[in-house]
Amino acid sequence: MQLEASHAFELGGGLSLAPLGTLSVGWLGRPGFTETGADAFNLTAEARDDVSAAAGLGLAVGQQVALEAGTLALEARALYEASLTDADTTEAFSFAGGTGPFSITGAPADANWVRLGAGFAFELPNGLSLGANYDGRLSANGQSHQASASLGGSF
């Protein structure tokens, strides 16, 4: 579940600033399992339940421009987000014929990251709208990027 709250302050001339806050909470659960058919090599994994939570603060800047052909809306945003929970990436396993359990640790999870976004929407007087957006997440251990385009209409 992800929540976002913001309030835009109109500065005149179609320009707005909007402080924003985010809160996200997630749960991932997996039952334990035991493989069969490999005798001593049957792998057993313990059940796992993980809860994650993160909060963020940021700022969005918007600009509305009235053109002859329609209205152009531009937006850019930047947020700093931090994890509110510890991310344990260790899984516990054992083999049926083994001497004891062992664990495997995954890649480290980030404690904080920056989210950046930019986009535009162009609305024509006849109700047709065009848009494009970019969203990125940057951290010490990786990055992700997403772009989207939209075409819509109202009737």
Side-chain angles (χ1 to χ4, degrees), residues 6 24 36-37 41 68 76 102 109 140:
S6 68
S24 60
T36 59
F41 295 107
E68 285 184 34
F102 64 94

Side-chain angles (χ1 to χ4, degrees), residues 86-114:
D86 291 329
D88 179 14
T89 61
T90 302
E91 295 280 343
F93 300 95
S94 63
F95 286 112
T99 58
F102 64 94
S103 61
I104 297 175
T105 301
D110 292 306
N112 50 58
W113 53 91
V114 173

Side-chain angles (χ1 to χ4, degrees), residues 9-64:
F9 294 95
E10 300 297 329
L11 303 178
L15 182 65
S16 65
L17 286 177
L20 54 98
T22 62
L23 177 65
S24 60
V25 178
W27 172 79
L28 176 63
R30 169 182 60 72
F33 66 86
T34 299
E35 295 176 331
T36 59
D39 297 325
F41 295 107
N42 288 335
L43 182 68
T44 297
E46 294 180 7
R48 179 146 185 165
D49 286 303
D50 292 309
V51 174
S52 63
L57 292 173
L59 184 67
V61 178
Q63 177 70 52
Q64 296 275 339

